Structures are given as C-alpha cells and as structure tokens.
mmCIF file of all heavy atoms in Angstrom:
data_model
loop_
_atom_site.group_PDB
_atom_site.id
_atom_site.type_symbol
_atom_site.label_atom_id
_atom_site.label_comp_id
_atom_site.label_asym_id
_atom_site.label_seq_id
_atom_site.Cartn_x
_atom_site.Cartn_y
_atom_site.Cartn_z
ATOM 1 N N LEU V 15 182.672 -71.006 -101.836
ATOM 2 C CA LEU V 15 181.938 -70.200 -102.775
ATOM 3 C C LEU V 15 181.330 -68.990 -102.075
ATOM 4 O O LEU V 15 180.774 -69.137 -100.986
ATOM 5 C CB LEU V 15 180.830 -71.068 -103.457
ATOM 6 C CG LEU V 15 179.990 -70.369 -104.546
ATOM 7 C CD1 LEU V 15 180.788 -70.096 -105.786
ATOM 8 C CD2 LEU V 15 178.774 -71.233 -104.840
ATOM 9 N N ALA V 16 181.364 -67.851 -102.718
ATOM 10 C CA ALA V 16 180.670 -66.667 -102.219
ATOM 11 C C ALA V 16 179.383 -66.523 -103.001
ATOM 12 O O ALA V 16 179.354 -66.659 -104.209
ATOM 13 C CB ALA V 16 181.541 -65.441 -102.400
ATOM 14 N N LEU V 17 178.331 -66.266 -102.266
ATOM 15 C CA LEU V 17 177.033 -65.982 -102.881
ATOM 16 C C LEU V 17 176.687 -64.530 -102.547
ATOM 17 O O LEU V 17 176.696 -64.120 -101.380
ATOM 18 C CB LEU V 17 175.946 -66.911 -102.344
ATOM 19 C CG LEU V 17 176.149 -68.381 -102.657
ATOM 20 C CD1 LEU V 17 175.082 -69.179 -101.949
ATOM 21 C CD2 LEU V 17 176.051 -68.634 -104.165
ATOM 22 N N LYS V 18 176.325 -63.764 -103.594
ATOM 23 C CA LYS V 18 176.063 -62.317 -103.404
ATOM 24 C C LYS V 18 174.693 -62.013 -103.943
ATOM 25 O O LYS V 18 174.219 -62.618 -104.910
ATOM 26 C CB LYS V 18 177.101 -61.497 -104.180
ATOM 27 C CG LYS V 18 178.491 -61.749 -103.691
ATOM 28 C CD LYS V 18 179.515 -61.020 -104.579
ATOM 29 C CE LYS V 18 180.921 -61.342 -104.106
ATOM 30 N NZ LYS V 18 181.948 -60.789 -104.998
ATOM 31 N N ASN V 19 173.996 -61.058 -103.287
ATOM 32 C CA ASN V 19 172.732 -60.549 -103.749
ATOM 33 C C ASN V 19 173.012 -59.453 -104.729
ATOM 34 O O ASN V 19 173.576 -58.395 -104.360
ATOM 35 C CB ASN V 19 171.906 -60.035 -102.569
ATOM 36 C CG ASN V 19 170.481 -59.653 -103.014
ATOM 37 O OD1 ASN V 19 170.265 -59.201 -104.097
ATOM 38 N ND2 ASN V 19 169.566 -59.882 -102.083
ATOM 39 N N ASN V 20 172.646 -59.665 -105.964
ATOM 40 C CA ASN V 20 172.931 -58.657 -107.060
ATOM 41 C C ASN V 20 171.667 -57.854 -107.419
ATOM 42 O O ASN V 20 171.667 -57.191 -108.445
ATOM 43 C CB ASN V 20 173.442 -59.455 -108.277
ATOM 44 C CG ASN V 20 174.320 -58.582 -109.181
ATOM 45 O OD1 ASN V 20 175.009 -57.674 -108.715
ATOM 46 N ND2 ASN V 20 174.348 -58.893 -110.469
ATOM 47 N N GLN V 21 170.671 -57.914 -106.609
ATOM 48 C CA GLN V 21 169.413 -57.163 -106.869
ATOM 49 C C GLN V 21 169.416 -55.874 -106.041
ATOM 50 O O GLN V 21 169.246 -55.904 -104.829
ATOM 51 C CB GLN V 21 168.190 -58.028 -106.531
ATOM 52 C CG GLN V 21 166.866 -57.331 -106.647
ATOM 53 C CD GLN V 21 166.605 -56.668 -108.028
ATOM 54 O OE1 GLN V 21 166.880 -55.492 -108.154
ATOM 55 N NE2 GLN V 21 166.071 -57.423 -108.956
ATOM 56 N N PRO V 22 169.677 -54.744 -106.665
ATOM 57 C CA PRO V 22 169.770 -53.486 -105.915
ATOM 58 C C PRO V 22 168.388 -52.929 -105.494
ATOM 59 O O PRO V 22 168.328 -52.162 -104.529
ATOM 60 C CB PRO V 22 170.474 -52.522 -106.849
ATOM 61 C CG PRO V 22 170.117 -53.016 -108.214
ATOM 62 C CD PRO V 22 170.003 -54.508 -108.077
ATOM 63 N N SER V 23 167.378 -53.256 -106.203
ATOM 64 C CA SER V 23 166.068 -52.619 -105.976
ATOM 65 C C SER V 23 165.305 -53.289 -104.797
ATOM 66 O O SER V 23 165.216 -54.490 -104.670
ATOM 67 C CB SER V 23 165.188 -52.735 -107.196
ATOM 68 O OG SER V 23 163.935 -52.174 -106.933
ATOM 69 N N THR V 24 164.822 -52.440 -103.927
ATOM 70 C CA THR V 24 163.958 -52.853 -102.813
ATOM 71 C C THR V 24 162.505 -52.342 -103.039
ATOM 72 O O THR V 24 161.652 -52.494 -102.194
ATOM 73 C CB THR V 24 164.463 -52.364 -101.452
ATOM 74 O OG1 THR V 24 164.470 -50.951 -101.444
ATOM 75 C CG2 THR V 24 165.826 -52.925 -101.099
ATOM 76 N N ARG V 25 162.264 -51.789 -104.164
ATOM 77 C CA ARG V 25 160.986 -51.242 -104.534
ATOM 78 C C ARG V 25 159.960 -52.405 -104.711
ATOM 79 O O ARG V 25 160.269 -53.385 -105.426
ATOM 80 C CB ARG V 25 161.064 -50.440 -105.819
ATOM 81 C CG ARG V 25 159.775 -49.810 -106.294
ATOM 82 C CD ARG V 25 159.949 -49.067 -107.602
ATOM 83 N NE ARG V 25 160.588 -49.799 -108.653
ATOM 84 C CZ ARG V 25 159.921 -50.677 -109.458
ATOM 85 N NH1 ARG V 25 158.621 -50.830 -109.359
ATOM 86 N NH2 ARG V 25 160.588 -51.288 -110.439
ATOM 87 N N PRO V 26 158.855 -52.382 -104.036
ATOM 88 C CA PRO V 26 157.856 -53.453 -104.174
ATOM 89 C C PRO V 26 157.337 -53.537 -105.615
ATOM 90 O O PRO V 26 157.105 -52.533 -106.248
ATOM 91 C CB PRO V 26 156.726 -53.081 -103.275
ATOM 92 C CG PRO V 26 157.288 -52.002 -102.360
ATOM 93 C CD PRO V 26 158.391 -51.350 -103.097
ATOM 94 N N VAL V 27 157.237 -54.749 -106.106
ATOM 95 C CA VAL V 27 156.664 -54.995 -107.405
ATOM 96 C C VAL V 27 155.418 -55.891 -107.232
ATOM 97 O O VAL V 27 155.366 -56.673 -106.322
ATOM 98 C CB VAL V 27 157.632 -55.671 -108.400
ATOM 99 C CG1 VAL V 27 158.830 -54.800 -108.670
ATOM 100 C CG2 VAL V 27 158.097 -57.041 -107.857
ATOM 101 N N ILE V 28 154.448 -55.693 -108.097
ATOM 102 C CA ILE V 28 153.222 -56.507 -108.028
ATOM 103 C C ILE V 28 153.539 -57.834 -108.660
ATOM 104 O O ILE V 28 153.983 -57.936 -109.808
ATOM 105 C CB ILE V 28 152.047 -55.812 -108.748
ATOM 106 C CG1 ILE V 28 151.657 -54.501 -108.041
ATOM 107 C CG2 ILE V 28 150.832 -56.777 -108.841
ATOM 108 C CD1 ILE V 28 150.588 -53.695 -108.698
ATOM 109 N N VAL V 29 153.355 -58.912 -107.877
ATOM 110 C CA VAL V 29 153.561 -60.259 -108.389
ATOM 111 C C VAL V 29 152.256 -60.982 -108.643
ATOM 112 O O VAL V 29 152.229 -61.997 -109.330
ATOM 113 C CB VAL V 29 154.497 -61.084 -107.440
ATOM 114 C CG1 VAL V 29 155.859 -60.469 -107.397
ATOM 115 C CG2 VAL V 29 153.918 -61.199 -106.077
ATOM 116 N N LEU V 30 151.174 -60.499 -108.082
ATOM 117 C CA LEU V 30 149.856 -61.037 -108.356
ATOM 118 C C LEU V 30 148.817 -59.889 -108.263
ATOM 119 O O LEU V 30 148.745 -59.215 -107.289
ATOM 120 C CB LEU V 30 149.467 -62.095 -107.300
ATOM 121 C CG LEU V 30 147.987 -62.597 -107.366
ATOM 122 C CD1 LEU V 30 147.666 -63.237 -108.708
ATOM 123 C CD2 LEU V 30 147.736 -63.597 -106.216
ATOM 124 N N ASP V 31 148.127 -59.694 -109.395
ATOM 125 C CA ASP V 31 147.166 -58.596 -109.500
ATOM 126 C C ASP V 31 145.788 -59.245 -109.239
ATOM 127 O O ASP V 31 145.249 -59.933 -110.104
ATOM 128 C CB ASP V 31 147.261 -57.943 -110.868
ATOM 129 C CG ASP V 31 146.368 -56.742 -111.035
ATOM 130 O OD1 ASP V 31 145.789 -56.318 -110.027
ATOM 131 O OD2 ASP V 31 146.224 -56.264 -112.147
ATOM 132 N N ALA V 32 145.208 -59.019 -108.033
ATOM 133 C CA ALA V 32 143.995 -59.727 -107.678
ATOM 134 C C ALA V 32 143.143 -58.726 -106.864
ATOM 135 O O ALA V 32 143.467 -57.564 -106.859
ATOM 136 C CB ALA V 32 144.234 -60.965 -106.914
ATOM 137 N N LEU V 33 142.130 -59.191 -106.178
ATOM 138 C CA LEU V 33 141.318 -58.297 -105.357
ATOM 139 C C LEU V 33 142.183 -57.586 -104.375
ATOM 140 O O LEU V 33 142.080 -56.390 -104.122
ATOM 141 C CB LEU V 33 140.297 -59.111 -104.546
ATOM 142 C CG LEU V 33 139.123 -59.623 -105.396
ATOM 143 C CD1 LEU V 33 138.222 -60.486 -104.504
ATOM 144 C CD2 LEU V 33 138.352 -58.454 -105.928
ATOM 145 N N ARG V 34 143.163 -58.275 -103.819
ATOM 146 C CA ARG V 34 144.252 -57.684 -103.009
ATOM 147 C C ARG V 34 145.541 -58.050 -103.721
ATOM 148 O O ARG V 34 145.892 -59.184 -103.889
ATOM 149 C CB ARG V 34 144.312 -58.270 -101.592
ATOM 150 C CG ARG V 34 143.186 -57.721 -100.707
ATOM 151 C CD ARG V 34 143.297 -58.153 -99.326
ATOM 152 N NE ARG V 34 144.418 -57.450 -98.644
ATOM 153 C CZ ARG V 34 144.815 -57.757 -97.457
ATOM 154 N NH1 ARG V 34 144.280 -58.712 -96.775
ATOM 155 N NH2 ARG V 34 145.818 -57.106 -96.912
ATOM 156 N N ASP V 35 146.253 -57.042 -104.169
ATOM 157 C CA ASP V 35 147.550 -57.271 -104.827
ATOM 158 C C ASP V 35 148.485 -57.937 -103.896
ATOM 159 O O ASP V 35 148.527 -57.709 -102.673
ATOM 160 C CB ASP V 35 148.170 -55.936 -105.320
ATOM 161 C CG ASP V 35 147.377 -55.323 -106.472
ATOM 162 O OD1 ASP V 35 146.580 -56.044 -107.126
ATOM 163 O OD2 ASP V 35 147.533 -54.105 -106.693
ATOM 164 N N TRP V 36 149.331 -58.815 -104.480
ATOM 165 C CA TRP V 36 150.489 -59.389 -103.756
ATOM 166 C C TRP V 36 151.715 -58.687 -104.295
ATOM 167 O O TRP V 36 151.904 -58.652 -105.519
ATOM 168 C CB TRP V 36 150.563 -60.900 -103.982
ATOM 169 C CG TRP V 36 149.530 -61.680 -103.263
ATOM 170 C CD1 TRP V 36 148.181 -61.601 -103.430
ATOM 171 C CD2 TRP V 36 149.720 -62.640 -102.244
ATOM 172 N NE1 TRP V 36 147.559 -62.479 -102.549
ATOM 173 C CE2 TRP V 36 148.470 -63.121 -101.846
ATOM 174 C CE3 TRP V 36 150.895 -63.111 -101.632
ATOM 175 C CZ2 TRP V 36 148.359 -64.090 -100.862
ATOM 176 C CZ3 TRP V 36 150.733 -64.105 -100.645
ATOM 177 C CH2 TRP V 36 149.479 -64.570 -100.308
ATOM 178 N N THR V 37 152.521 -58.144 -103.441
ATOM 179 C CA THR V 37 153.750 -57.474 -103.812
ATOM 180 C C THR V 37 154.949 -58.180 -103.253
ATOM 181 O O THR V 37 154.832 -58.942 -102.258
ATOM 182 C CB THR V 37 153.776 -56.002 -103.414
ATOM 183 O OG1 THR V 37 153.779 -55.938 -101.956
ATOM 184 C CG2 THR V 37 152.619 -55.234 -103.971
ATOM 185 N N GLY V 38 156.091 -57.940 -103.823
ATOM 186 C CA GLY V 38 157.323 -58.481 -103.344
ATOM 187 C C GLY V 38 158.488 -57.539 -103.559
ATOM 188 O O GLY V 38 158.502 -56.800 -104.551
ATOM 189 N N ASP V 39 159.447 -57.605 -102.684
ATOM 190 C CA ASP V 39 160.666 -56.883 -102.763
ATOM 191 C C ASP V 39 161.669 -57.930 -103.335
ATOM 192 O O ASP V 39 162.056 -58.853 -102.646
ATOM 193 C CB ASP V 39 161.069 -56.441 -101.340
ATOM 194 C CG ASP V 39 162.541 -55.984 -101.198
ATOM 195 O OD1 ASP V 39 163.314 -56.089 -102.125
ATOM 196 O OD2 ASP V 39 162.839 -55.468 -100.093
ATOM 197 N N LEU V 40 162.051 -57.738 -104.588
ATOM 198 C CA LEU V 40 162.858 -58.747 -105.264
ATOM 199 C C LEU V 40 164.266 -58.885 -104.654
ATOM 200 O O LEU V 40 164.928 -59.929 -104.784
ATOM 201 C CB LEU V 40 162.975 -58.435 -106.764
ATOM 202 C CG LEU V 40 161.613 -58.511 -107.529
ATOM 203 C CD1 LEU V 40 161.816 -58.324 -108.968
ATOM 204 C CD2 LEU V 40 160.868 -59.751 -107.193
ATOM 205 N N GLN V 41 164.736 -57.884 -103.926
ATOM 206 C CA GLN V 41 166.001 -58.024 -103.154
ATOM 207 C C GLN V 41 165.787 -59.085 -102.042
ATOM 208 O O GLN V 41 166.640 -59.928 -101.832
ATOM 209 C CB GLN V 41 166.479 -56.679 -102.602
ATOM 210 C CG GLN V 41 167.860 -56.776 -101.969
ATOM 211 C CD GLN V 41 168.337 -55.476 -101.448
ATOM 212 O OE1 GLN V 41 167.854 -55.045 -100.384
ATOM 213 N NE2 GLN V 41 169.160 -54.820 -102.152
ATOM 214 N N ALA V 42 164.701 -58.978 -101.332
ATOM 215 C CA ALA V 42 164.402 -59.949 -100.286
ATOM 216 C C ALA V 42 164.200 -61.319 -100.870
ATOM 217 O O ALA V 42 164.553 -62.338 -100.280
ATOM 218 C CB ALA V 42 163.185 -59.499 -99.434
ATOM 219 N N TRP V 43 163.555 -61.368 -102.059
ATOM 220 C CA TRP V 43 163.323 -62.679 -102.688
ATOM 221 C C TRP V 43 164.671 -63.273 -103.108
ATOM 222 O O TRP V 43 164.829 -64.485 -103.041
ATOM 223 C CB TRP V 43 162.416 -62.453 -103.916
ATOM 224 C CG TRP V 43 160.949 -62.250 -103.567
ATOM 225 C CD1 TRP V 43 160.511 -61.507 -102.517
ATOM 226 C CD2 TRP V 43 159.847 -62.693 -104.236
ATOM 227 N NE1 TRP V 43 159.136 -61.460 -102.502
ATOM 228 C CE2 TRP V 43 158.704 -62.211 -103.543
ATOM 229 C CE3 TRP V 43 159.639 -63.480 -105.411
ATOM 230 C CZ2 TRP V 43 157.416 -62.476 -103.967
ATOM 231 C CZ3 TRP V 43 158.355 -63.774 -105.801
ATOM 232 C CH2 TRP V 43 157.215 -63.264 -105.094
ATOM 233 N N THR V 44 165.616 -62.436 -103.547
ATOM 234 C CA THR V 44 166.917 -62.946 -103.899
ATOM 235 C C THR V 44 167.625 -63.476 -102.636
ATOM 236 O O THR V 44 168.312 -64.491 -102.667
ATOM 237 C CB THR V 44 167.777 -61.806 -104.550
ATOM 238 O OG1 THR V 44 167.103 -61.375 -105.708
ATOM 239 C CG2 THR V 44 169.148 -62.327 -104.923
ATOM 240 N N ASP V 45 167.456 -62.801 -101.463
ATOM 241 C CA ASP V 45 167.980 -63.290 -100.207
ATOM 242 C C ASP V 45 167.472 -64.676 -99.930
ATOM 243 O O ASP V 45 168.167 -65.568 -99.505
ATOM 244 C CB ASP V 45 167.685 -62.344 -99.057
ATOM 245 C CG ASP V 45 168.528 -61.145 -99.033
ATOM 246 O OD1 ASP V 45 169.656 -61.111 -99.605
ATOM 247 O OD2 ASP V 45 168.100 -60.118 -98.368
ATOM 248 N N ALA V 46 166.134 -64.929 -100.194
ATOM 249 C CA ALA V 46 165.589 -66.216 -99.953
ATOM 250 C C ALA V 46 166.174 -67.287 -100.905
ATOM 251 O O ALA V 46 166.477 -68.368 -100.530
ATOM 252 C CB ALA V 46 164.079 -66.181 -100.185
ATOM 253 N N ALA V 47 166.437 -66.880 -102.181
ATOM 254 C CA ALA V 47 167.066 -67.793 -103.129
ATOM 255 C C ALA V 47 168.492 -68.112 -102.698
ATOM 256 O O ALA V 47 168.955 -69.285 -102.831
ATOM 257 C CB ALA V 47 167.141 -67.143 -104.529
ATOM 258 N N ILE V 48 169.198 -67.164 -102.112
ATOM 259 C CA ILE V 48 170.526 -67.381 -101.592
ATOM 260 C C ILE V 48 170.483 -68.358 -100.409
ATOM 261 O O ILE V 48 171.331 -69.240 -100.269
ATOM 262 C CB ILE V 48 171.249 -66.078 -101.215
ATOM 263 C CG1 ILE V 48 171.588 -65.298 -102.459
ATOM 264 C CG2 ILE V 48 172.478 -66.292 -100.374
ATOM 265 C CD1 ILE V 48 172.075 -63.826 -102.291
ATOM 266 N N GLN V 49 169.505 -68.205 -99.570
ATOM 267 C CA GLN V 49 169.367 -69.161 -98.433
ATOM 268 C C GLN V 49 169.115 -70.599 -98.917
ATOM 269 O O GLN V 49 169.711 -71.531 -98.424
ATOM 270 C CB GLN V 49 168.225 -68.708 -97.495
ATOM 271 C CG GLN V 49 168.554 -67.491 -96.732
ATOM 272 C CD GLN V 49 167.337 -67.004 -95.892
ATOM 273 O OE1 GLN V 49 166.571 -67.798 -95.385
ATOM 274 N NE2 GLN V 49 167.248 -65.729 -95.713
ATOM 275 N N ILE V 50 168.234 -70.734 -99.927
ATOM 276 C CA ILE V 50 167.992 -72.057 -100.507
ATOM 277 C C ILE V 50 169.296 -72.636 -101.133
ATOM 278 O O ILE V 50 169.656 -73.781 -100.903
ATOM 279 C CB ILE V 50 166.891 -72.016 -101.567
ATOM 280 C CG1 ILE V 50 165.579 -71.583 -100.959
ATOM 281 C CG2 ILE V 50 166.738 -73.397 -102.315
ATOM 282 C CD1 ILE V 50 164.488 -71.205 -101.983
#
C-alpha cells in the first residue's frame, strides 16, 4: 500500500486559542498520521 500526504498547506493554523496560542502545520500533522 502507498500512503501519501494530501495536505498541501504548510501555513500554521491555530489549534488552541489561549494565553499562548498553539499552532500546527497540518501537513506535518498529516505526516504524523501517516507514521501512525
């Protein structure tokens, strides 16, 4: 089976809006999902 990352965006998105925002690059998050 081939697993491909289909998320083209590397733009950080806010995933938690708090005193300090937590951001994530959904392409890197997709890479983590592919590793799992």
Side-chain angles (χ1 to χ4, degrees):
L15 180 70
L17 295 175
K18 301 174 184 174
N19 188 327
N20 205 28
Q21 175 53 269
S23 177
T24 59
R25 181 181 53 84
V27 297
I28 295 175
V29 296
L30 171 60
D31 186 7
L33 287 175
R34 286 187 71 188
D35 291 341
W36 286 64
T37 64
D39 167 351
L40 298 184
Q41 186 180 78
W43 288 36
T44 302
D45 285 338
I48 288 170
Q49 289 177 33
I50 296 167

